[in-house]
């Protein structure tokens, strides 16, 4: 087609940067006490607040679950774990 220029695909690095940004923001909010322990978070809610899709939020949740900052909840939600004293000191 004349005048048609395919758009480049979104690079994996861009997606990684987005999930890293979501991770950093959530970790900061948890460690600074902006999000209290026991607070339930949903992928859709967090994505809307940060202006991203659910995929980078899901990736950030997975990393925070591995670190023990979040605990699994129901219906694709996670609950903020009570931070340890070492985490607060950090």
């Amino acid at each position: 087609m004349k005048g048609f220029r395919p758009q480049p695909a979104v690079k994996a690095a861009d997606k990684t940067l987005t999930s890293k940004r979501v991770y950093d923001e959530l970790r900061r909010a948890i460690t600074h006490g902006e999000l209290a322990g026991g607070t339930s978070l949903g992928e859709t809610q967090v994505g809307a607040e940060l202006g991203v899709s659910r995929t980078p939020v899901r990736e950030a949740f997975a990393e925070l679950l591995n670190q023990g900052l979040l605990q699994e909840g129901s219906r694709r939600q996670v609950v903020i774990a009570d931070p340890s004293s070492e985490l607060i000191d950090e």
Side-chain angles (χ1 to χ4, degrees):
M1 287 171 72
K2 187 176 181 180
F4 174 74
R5 293 185 184 187
Q7 297 296 318
V10 176
K11 295 179 182 176
D14 293 341
K15 291 181 181 179
T16 303
L17 291 175
T18 303
S19 62
K20 174 80 168 113
R21 182 176 62 87
V22 172
Y23 165 81
D24 290 341
E25 180 62 28
L26 288 174
R27 181 173 169 78
R28 185 197 58 74
I30 293 169
T31 56
H32 286 99
E34 295 173 19
L35 296 172
T39 303
S40 179
L41 298 175
E43 294 173 359
T44 306
Q45 168 201 8
V46 172
E49 288 177 9
L50 298 177
V52 298
S53 68
R54 288 177 29 195
T55 301
V57 175
R58 191 176 305 127
E59 292 170 358
F61 279 3
E63 185 62 31
L64 292 167
L65 281 164
N66 287 337
Q67 294 179 356
L69 292 172
L70 298 177
Q71 299 171 340
E72 291 185 32
S74 62
R75 298 185 194 165
R76 292 192 161 261
Q77 291 184 335
V78 292
V79 178
I80 298 172
D82 292 322
S84 65
S85 58
E86 295 109 19
L87 181 62
I88 293 171
D89 291 341
E90 183 183 314

